[in-house]
Amino acid sequence: MMRADANGGWFQEKILLGLTPRDYLRTLLTPMNGVAFFICAIGVPLLLYRFYAGLGATTNLTQSQPWGVWIGFDMMTGIALAAGGFTIGAAVEIFGLKEFHPIERPAILTGFLGYIMAVIGLIADLGKPWNMVQIFAQNGTRSVLFEVAWCVVCYTCVLSLEFAVPFFEWLGVKRIYQPLRKALLALTVLSVMFSSMHQSALGSLFIIAPGKLHPLWWSPWIFAFFFMTAIIAGISMVIVESTISHKVFAHQLEGQHHDADALTLGLGKAGAVVLFAYFFLKLQGVIDAHAWGYIGQGFLGVWWLVEMLGFVLLPSMLFAWGARNRRVGAVRVAGAIAVLGIILNRVNVSMVAWDWQNPDHYVPSWIELWVSLTLVTLGVLAFRWIVNRMPVLREPADLAAGHH
Amino acid sequence: MSMQRRTFLKVAGATGVAAAAGQAGADFGDPAGAGENAVLVDTTLCVGCRGCEAACAEANALPEPPSGDAVLGSLRKTGVSSFTVVNRFEGPGEPRFAKRQCMHCVEPACASACPVRALDKKPNGPVAYHKERCMGCRYCLVACPFEVPKYEYAKAIPTVRKCTFCAARQAEGKAPACTSACPSGALTFGKRGELVLEAKRRVYAQGSKYVPHVYGEHEAGGTNWLYISDVDFSRLDMKVTVADASYPQLVKGALGVPPFVMTLWPPLLMGIYAFSHRRQQVAKHEGRETP
């Protein structure tokens, strides 16, 4: 690929999608962009205000609820929903399920952006984020959070190397993207390794606090639950994401021969199995913790049933029914319910069922919610910006020319 | 000057009692952290004067605690600028008083939870805090079963605040400020091994007076602050649901997994890859030959 030598030519081609600055700005004037701008115009200053004013002025965190939305949603949920990157990566590169190849890159991009957003949320939440470097200086090896921190660092590096392939294909730097493409198998092995540790360690964080997390959610096996739900999240997110992508980015997918419906049905089959296994593992956890008596008792006992029946068993059945009867629509709905279920689970563990005996329970401040909403919006905007420019959904130029 | 002499006598007296007790109990084996500095709180002797609160505030450069007994009317918790509080609990009979502060666990959950070792267990007992390392993740607040560490949410550059066990004073060979100030003998400073035995000696010698339990002997794997009482500990707002097992031990299994993942995952995954790759090669090969 040649760099345009005309003044501003490269910029116009790569950044402005070949439009003149004036035309490009005009394409940005859409209602959705207006909403996104509104969210960010308030959210970004709020994020900066948090560093000036402190956590007390911006959040509703308390001494008994030290982790709120920025950890419970941005970190816990963001990382879980980013699991598609390693799940689909492993399916394609290691298990040789090549039919999933068309969704590998969007899944990795989602993972990459999910991790970046989670790290920004984490920086907002930490009291003294500049001391994060202490992770490298102090060997806090007895801490689960030490493991989590190292996994975040290592897996973000792996994800950026994986993302570097489409990035440098976009810039046309063959010297970098060709060796990285060859390294994809090794990077995938590393991504599975770091993810399985990271996803489960996020659950292990709660093992040390048995009295504070409701017995229906606390379990010494919570790390296994977190790992399984990460796989569920990975599969479901890919279904949801490819559904949206096919609507929004349809023009990019023209001329590709893969059967999106068959892919979705395949993912649905996998989702049904993992969700069903997870449902029974959770029951096992309840029996193991002697927490059977809490089911249906009080708000949390009912709420647990809502999570388990409505957001685990129901999507599992719907996945199975849809995959068996080749109803793509049902599989997509099941995927959306499963994604909501994972969000619900992480929010329940870190906030709703946390500090459950305290009648004076944490409710997030509007600033916390707005900053989280801003981070999600920025993630979606970044996804769209990248997909419109880099070969994520469409095939890279050299491969597309060579293959068919 | 007289204050110092009194402190000295008290410490000497306590050590003497404890040393004798230690000898008597040598056959039973030492409890965890036997050689660490510890405090025995005999709640039956506490008169609620809150002299310990004032001494603590002075020693740790904290704002002076509220004067007057009005504050005893409601249940207080330790906070960012009050490392110890004394609460009053209405009887049967006389009201009881219980001092609260960091329990300085033998195996502290907070120190094990801290990824940057900003909370650190000293060999002589105190769980010390190094604010220059702390990144403010607040996992110590999540982990502590006694809800002791408090965070300075109000500050732009916050730190974790809790009782220091007067580690600096201990390093100079002095007793913690609160125990030195206690006029009623409710607080005894000494070695943990000896104080556990002293606590049991009091409980069993006056069996009808005390509840037959030494709070902190086994709670959370053992704490360096030990309590004895003549009423049930739940009535003193002590956390009676705290498990006896050491909290760092709870995560030991989960933390043992990463080395296996790191050594077993790559070869396992590469093995799976080798199989699937070969299968594809064969399929391609046969596909070419059969038609």
Side-chain angles (χ1 to χ4, degrees):
Chain A
M1 196 169 276
M2 293 257 289
R3 288 190 175 197
D5 48 7
N7 205 9
W10 178 86
F11 185 80
Q12 192 170 335
E13 188 207 331
K14 293 291 186 191
I15 308 292
L16 303 183
L17 301 167
L19 301 170
T20 64
R22 199 198 179 97
D23 287 342
Y24 178 70
L25 285 177
R26 197 166 290 154
T27 62
L28 294 183
L29 294 173
T30 62
M32 285 314 278
N33 279 349
V35 172
F37 178 80
F38 174 71
I39 292 169
C40 298
I42 295 172
V44 174
L46 281 179
L47 186 61
L48 299 175
Y49 175 67
R50 170 259 166 276
F51 287 103
Y52 167 76
L55 288 164
T58 45
T59 70
N60 279 353
L61 295 173
T62 62
Q63 304 296 354
S64 55
Q65 178 84 41
W67 288 350
V69 172
W70 293 344
I71 293 296
F73 178 76
D74 296 7
M75 191 73 192
M76 296 286 172
T77 310
I79 297 300
L81 297 186
F86 89 90
T87 315
I88 302 300
V92 175
E93 301 296 329
I94 295 169
F95 292 90
L97 304 172
K98 297 291 180 195
E99 64 269 30
F100 292 110
H101 187 257
I103 50 174
E104 187 186 7
R105 282 186 174 192
I108 288 171
L109 177 61
T110 313
F112 179 63
L113 293 174
Y115 267 71
I116 300 281
M117 293 304 125
V119 167
I120 296 175
L122 177 68
I123 290 172
D125 183 79
L126 290 179
K128 298 198 280 181
W130 52 90
N131 268 351
M132 275 198 284
V133 293
Q134 293 288 340
I135 286 286
F136 305 104
Q138 311 292 338
N139 286 321
T141 47
R142 270 158 55 98
S143 172
V144 177
L145 198 56
F146 182 77
E147 185 191 341
V148 169
W150 272 96
C151 287
V152 173
V153 172
C154 293
Y155 189 44
T156 307
C157 289
V158 171
L159 279 168
S160 38
L161 285 174
E162 288 182 325
F163 172 65
V165 176
F167 181 78
F168 284 106
E169 283 171 356
W170 172 58
L171 294 179
V173 189
K174 206 169 182 177
R175 211 150 35 96
I176 298 181
Y177 73 71
Q178 277 209 326
L180 279 176
R181 269 189 204 165
K182 286 185 186 137
L184 200 55
L185 174 63
L187 288 173
T188 308
V189 169
L190 287 177
S191 76
V192 175
M193 190 179 90
F194 288 128
S195 288
S196 43
M197 289 194 288
H198 186 204
Q199 299 286 358
S200 53
L202 283 173
S204 303
L205 283 174
F206 296 95
I207 294 179
I208 204 162
K212 298 181 184 178
L213 183 58
H214 191 280
L216 285 173
W217 280 274
W218 187 89
S219 160
W221 302 103
I222 191 169
F223 62 91
F225 300 155
F226 265 56
F227 183 60
M228 280 194 95
T229 43
I231 293 173
I232 295 166
I235 294 168
S236 312
M237 257 316 258
V238 169
I239 294 174
V240 170
E241 203 180 277
S242 58
T243 305
I244 298 172
S245 291
H246 273 85
K247 290 222 167 78
V248 180
F249 303 107
H251 59 283
Q252 294 212 22
L253 297 161
E254 275 169 23
Q256 291 195 22
H257 302 299
H258 73 269
D259 183 353
D261 288 356
L263 278 185
T264 306
L265 291 173
L267 288 168
K269 204 187 279 178
V273 173
V274 186
L275 268 166
F276 205 62
Y278 170 66
F279 181 79
F280 278 95
L281 204 68
K282 277 287 279 188
L283 289 187
Q284 183 73 41
V286 171
I287 296 164
D288 199 49
H290 303 286
W292 202 260
Y294 288 99
I295 296 176
Q297 288 299 307
F299 165 70
L300 285 171
V302 174
W303 193 236
W304 185 83
L305 279 176
V306 170
E307 184 192 321
M308 291 313 295
L309 298 179
F311 293 89
V312 177
L313 197 61
L314 175 71
S316 167
M317 297 298 174
L318 203 54
F319 267 143
W321 184 82
R324 200 178 155 77
N325 297 306
R326 306 196 62 78
R327 300 289 179 87
V328 180
V331 171
R332 288 187 177 137
V333 170
I337 298 173
V339 167
L340 289 177
I342 303 306
I343 297 174
L344 184 67
N345 175 257
R346 296 304 191 262
V347 166
N348 281 348
V349 167
S350 57
M351 288 176 276
V352 179
W354 177 260
D355 191 28
W356 63 289
Q357 281 159 314
N358 188 351
D360 196 13
H361 206 269
Y362 160 85
V363 177
S365 73
W366 72 271
I367 297 181
E368 287 175 270
L369 293 173
W370 200 289
V371 167
S372 288
L373 181 66
T374 305
L375 290 178
V376 173
T377 308
L378 286 173
V380 173
L381 290 178
F383 186 88
R384 192 184 62 178
W385 196 90
I386 290 166
V387 162
N388 275 333
R389 284 160 183 81
M390 303 177 197
V392 173
L393 288 176
R394 61 188 152 81
E395 281 194 86
D398 59 334
L399 292 184
H403 262 236
H404 304 293
Chain B
M1 190 66 203
S2 69
M3 177 69 192
Q4 275 178 350
R5 188 182 300 146
R6 204 163 64 210
T7 310
F8 169 76
L9 287 174
K10 199 176 291 171
V11 173
T15 323
V17 170
Q23 248 165 6
D27 290 337
F28 297 102
D30 286 335
E36 293 175 13
N37 290 336
V39 174
L40 171 60
V41 184
D42 190 333
T43 57
T44 64
L45 298 178
C46 181
V47 294
C49 73
R50 294 171 53 233
C52 51
E53 287 185 23
C56 174
E58 198 186 333
N60 292 291
L62 304 172
E64 225 171 277
S67 56
D69 282 353
V71 290
L72 288 171
S74 60
L75 186 69
R76 290 181 301 155
K77 292 188 165 166
T78 60
V80 288
S81 52
S82 50
F83 294 169
T84 186
V85 290
V86 176
N87 281 312
R88 183 172 66 197
F89 302 92
E90 298 308 331
E94 295 286 295
R96 309 297 195 284
F97 299 93
K99 175 187 182 300
R100 298 298 300 274
Q101 72 296 307
C102 173
M103 299 292 282
H104 297 279
C105 305
V106 176
E107 287 186 59
C110 61
S112 83
C114 182
V116 294
R117 298 202 302 175
L119 284 162
D120 208 7
K121 175 79 177 174
K122 298 285 172 207
N124 64 333
V127 178
Y129 175 64
H130 308 274
K131 67 175 178 200
E132 72 283 358
R133 290 182 199 159
C134 175
M135 60 178 179
C137 67
R138 309 187 294 285
Y139 191 31
C140 49
L141 276 74
V142 168
C144 175
F146 300 104
E147 295 175 23
V148 165
K150 297 292 189 298
Y151 204 62
E152 291 178 312
Y153 288 112
K155 287 194 177 175
I157 299 178
T159 55
V160 171
R161 309 276 286 164
K162 71 168 198 69
C163 160
T164 59
F165 208 0
C166 288
R169 284 173 61 100
Q170 287 198 38
E172 295 168 16
K174 290 192 237 168
C178 54
T179 62
S180 303
C182 181
S184 67
L187 305 178
T188 312
F189 179 64
K191 296 291 177 205
R192 184 169 192 272
E194 292 153 3
L195 289 182
V196 167
L197 290 173
E198 168 62 12
K200 287 182 174 174
R201 194 186 62 75
R202 289 189 201 178
V203 168
Y204 291 121
Q206 302 171 69
S208 56
K209 180 180 174 189
Y210 291 97
V211 170
H213 181 66
V214 179
Y215 187 94
E217 186 191 4
H218 298 299
E219 274 79 3
T223 61
N224 285 21
W225 277 69
L226 303 156
Y227 286 75
I228 49 176
S229 163
D230 61 346
V231 293
D232 201 76
F233 285 100
S234 61
R235 290 205 26 224
L236 302 178
D237 193 42
M238 306 291 285
K239 300 232 172 273
V240 289
T241 51
V242 171
D244 278 355
S246 132
Y247 278 68
Q249 294 290 335
L250 285 172
V251 290
K252 227 170 178 184
L255 277 178
V257 175
F260 291 99
V261 172
M262 281 190 277
T263 47
L264 294 180
W265 249 211
L268 182 74
L269 294 170
M270 289 311 287
I272 295 172
Y273 166 75
F275 274 117
S276 70
H277 188 65
R278 161 123 183 99
R279 202 177 55 204
Q280 275 164 6
Q281 294 287 334
V282 169
K284 204 186 269 177
H285 191 68
E286 286 175 347
R288 217 172 272 156
E289 279 187 352
T290 34

mmCIF file of all heavy atoms in Angstrom, chain A residues 99-100 235 239 260-272 323 331:
data_model
loop_
_atom_site.group_PDB
_atom_site.id
_atom_site.type_symbol
_atom_site.label_atom_id
_atom_site.label_comp_id
_atom_site.label_asym_id
_atom_site.label_seq_id
_atom_site.Cartn_x
_atom_site.Cartn_y
_atom_site.Cartn_z
ATOM 1 N N GLU A 99 -14.761 -21.881 10.816
ATOM 2 C CA GLU A 99 -15.973 -21.181 10.395
ATOM 3 C C GLU A 99 -16.230 -19.935 11.229
ATOM 4 O O GLU A 99 -16.961 -19.049 10.823
ATOM 5 C CB GLU A 99 -17.187 -22.128 10.424
ATOM 6 C CG GLU A 99 -17.571 -22.661 11.793
ATOM 7 C CD GLU A 99 -16.890 -23.982 12.120
ATOM 8 O OE1 GLU A 99 -15.763 -24.204 11.630
ATOM 9 O OE2 GLU A 99 -17.480 -24.785 12.888
ATOM 10 N N PHE A 100 -15.595 -19.879 12.426
ATOM 11 C CA PHE A 100 -15.772 -18.688 13.259
ATOM 12 C C PHE A 100 -14.772 -17.591 12.929
ATOM 13 O O PHE A 100 -14.751 -16.546 13.574
ATOM 14 C CB PHE A 100 -15.672 -19.053 14.747
ATOM 15 C CG PHE A 100 -16.812 -19.896 15.237
ATOM 16 C CD1 PHE A 100 -16.628 -21.228 15.581
ATOM 17 C CD2 PHE A 100 -18.088 -19.350 15.340
ATOM 18 C CE1 PHE A 100 -17.696 -22.005 16.019
ATOM 19 C CE2 PHE A 100 -19.152 -20.112 15.783
ATOM 20 C CZ PHE A 100 -18.951 -21.444 16.119
ATOM 21 N N ILE A 235 -19.299 -15.826 24.423
ATOM 22 C CA ILE A 235 -20.149 -16.368 23.357
ATOM 23 C C ILE A 235 -21.326 -15.425 23.082
ATOM 24 O O ILE A 235 -21.607 -15.061 21.935
ATOM 25 C CB ILE A 235 -20.671 -17.774 23.755
ATOM 26 C CG1 ILE A 235 -19.500 -18.766 23.845
ATOM 27 C CG2 ILE A 235 -21.723 -18.265 22.772
ATOM 28 C CD1 ILE A 235 -19.864 -20.078 24.500
ATOM 29 N N ILE A 239 -22.511 -12.996 19.752
ATOM 30 C CA ILE A 239 -23.808 -13.089 19.076
ATOM 31 C C ILE A 239 -24.453 -11.706 18.980
ATOM 32 O O ILE A 239 -24.868 -11.266 17.897
ATOM 33 C CB ILE A 239 -24.752 -14.061 19.832
ATOM 34 C CG1 ILE A 239 -24.204 -15.487 19.755
ATOM 35 C CG2 ILE A 239 -26.166 -13.993 19.265
ATOM 36 C CD1 ILE A 239 -24.981 -16.493 20.588
ATOM 37 N N ALA A 260 -23.715 -16.017 8.177
ATOM 38 C CA ALA A 260 -23.809 -15.446 9.524
ATOM 39 C C ALA A 260 -24.805 -16.227 10.384
ATOM 40 O O ALA A 260 -24.585 -16.431 11.572
ATOM 41 C CB ALA A 260 -24.223 -13.990 9.441
ATOM 42 N N ASP A 261 -25.890 -16.698 9.772
ATOM 43 C CA ASP A 261 -26.906 -17.412 10.549
ATOM 44 C C ASP A 261 -26.372 -18.733 11.078
ATOM 45 O O ASP A 261 -26.619 -19.098 12.233
ATOM 46 C CB ASP A 261 -28.147 -17.660 9.684
ATOM 47 C CG ASP A 261 -28.912 -16.368 9.450
ATOM 48 O OD1 ASP A 261 -28.495 -15.347 10.024
ATOM 49 O OD2 ASP A 261 -29.889 -16.385 8.688
ATOM 50 N N ALA A 262 -25.606 -19.431 10.236
ATOM 51 C CA ALA A 262 -25.047 -20.709 10.692
ATOM 52 C C ALA A 262 -24.089 -20.483 11.860
ATOM 53 O O ALA A 262 -24.069 -21.257 12.824
ATOM 54 C CB ALA A 262 -24.322 -21.399 9.544
ATOM 55 N N LEU A 263 -23.320 -19.394 11.763
ATOM 56 C CA LEU A 263 -22.402 -19.058 12.856
ATOM 57 C C LEU A 263 -23.163 -18.821 14.149
ATOM 58 O O LEU A 263 -22.807 -19.340 15.214
ATOM 59 C CB LEU A 263 -21.635 -17.781 12.515
ATOM 60 C CG LEU A 263 -20.422 -17.919 11.630
ATOM 61 C CD1 LEU A 263 -19.727 -16.588 11.493
ATOM 62 C CD2 LEU A 263 -19.484 -18.944 12.237
ATOM 63 N N THR A 264 -24.221 -18.034 14.040
ATOM 64 C CA THR A 264 -25.011 -17.709 15.231
ATOM 65 C C THR A 264 -25.601 -18.976 15.838
ATOM 66 O O THR A 264 -25.595 -19.147 17.066
ATOM 67 C CB THR A 264 -26.125 -16.721 14.855
ATOM 68 O OG1 THR A 264 -25.517 -15.606 14.201
ATOM 69 C CG2 THR A 264 -26.880 -16.238 16.065
ATOM 70 N N LEU A 265 -26.095 -19.867 14.985
ATOM 71 C CA LEU A 265 -26.672 -21.114 15.504
ATOM 72 C C LEU A 265 -25.605 -21.955 16.197
ATOM 73 O O LEU A 265 -25.847 -22.546 17.254
ATOM 74 C CB LEU A 265 -27.317 -21.912 14.362
ATOM 75 C CG LEU A 265 -28.590 -21.289 13.776
ATOM 76 C CD1 LEU A 265 -29.034 -22.074 12.553
ATOM 77 C CD2 LEU A 265 -29.700 -21.240 14.815
ATOM 78 N N GLY A 266 -24.401 -21.970 15.614
ATOM 79 C CA GLY A 266 -23.298 -22.721 16.230
ATOM 80 C C GLY A 266 -22.957 -22.163 17.603
ATOM 81 O O GLY A 266 -22.755 -22.910 18.561
ATOM 82 N N LEU A 267 -22.908 -20.818 17.676
ATOM 83 C CA LEU A 267 -22.622 -20.179 18.969
ATOM 84 C C LEU A 267 -23.730 -20.480 19.966
ATOM 85 O O LEU A 267 -23.479 -20.692 21.158
ATOM 86 C CB LEU A 267 -22.483 -18.668 18.786
ATOM 87 C CG LEU A 267 -21.218 -18.188 18.075
ATOM 88 C CD1 LEU A 267 -21.353 -16.718 17.689
ATOM 89 C CD2 LEU A 267 -19.998 -18.391 18.945
ATOM 90 N N GLY A 268 -24.982 -20.511 19.469
ATOM 91 C CA GLY A 268 -26.117 -20.791 20.350
ATOM 92 C C GLY A 268 -26.026 -22.176 20.967
ATOM 93 O O GLY A 268 -26.327 -22.358 22.147
ATOM 94 N N LYS A 269 -25.582 -23.126 20.168
ATOM 95 C CA LYS A 269 -25.433 -24.488 20.686
ATOM 96 C C LYS A 269 -24.413 -24.507 21.823
ATOM 97 O O LYS A 269 -24.652 -25.064 22.894
ATOM 98 C CB LYS A 269 -24.985 -25.407 19.544
ATOM 99 C CG LYS A 269 -25.340 -26.867 19.773
ATOM 100 C CD LYS A 269 -24.741 -27.745 18.707
ATOM 101 C CE LYS A 269 -25.539 -27.780 17.423
ATOM 102 N NZ LYS A 269 -24.883 -28.621 16.391
ATOM 103 N N ALA A 270 -23.286 -23.838 21.579
ATOM 104 C CA ALA A 270 -22.249 -23.768 22.613
ATOM 105 C C ALA A 270 -22.776 -23.050 23.854
ATOM 106 O O ALA A 270 -22.570 -23.502 24.985
ATOM 107 C CB ALA A 270 -21.027 -23.051 22.063
ATOM 108 N N GLY A 271 -23.500 -21.948 23.607
ATOM 109 C CA GLY A 271 -24.038 -21.177 24.731
ATOM 110 C C GLY A 271 -24.979 -22.003 25.581
ATOM 111 O O GLY A 271 -24.943 -21.939 26.812
ATOM 112 N N ALA A 272 -25.837 -22.810 24.936
ATOM 113 C CA ALA A 272 -26.798 -23.641 25.663
ATOM 114 C C ALA A 272 -26.075 -24.594 26.598
ATOM 115 O O ALA A 272 -26.438 -24.735 27.778
ATOM 116 C CB ALA A 272 -27.661 -24.415 24.681
ATOM 117 N N ALA A 323 -31.176 -23.251 18.555
ATOM 118 C CA ALA A 323 -30.149 -23.961 17.792
ATOM 119 C C ALA A 323 -30.725 -25.226 17.166
ATOM 120 O O ALA A 323 -30.387 -25.594 16.040
ATOM 121 C CB ALA A 323 -28.975 -24.307 18.711
ATOM 122 N N VAL A 331 -32.012 -17.441 19.056
ATOM 123 C CA VAL A 331 -30.642 -17.493 19.559
ATOM 124 C C VAL A 331 -30.144 -16.083 19.879
ATOM 125 O O VAL A 331 -29.479 -15.860 20.890
ATOM 126 C CB VAL A 331 -29.714 -18.189 18.536
ATOM 127 C CG1 VAL A 331 -28.259 -18.059 18.956
ATOM 128 C CG2 VAL A 331 -30.101 -19.648 18.397
#
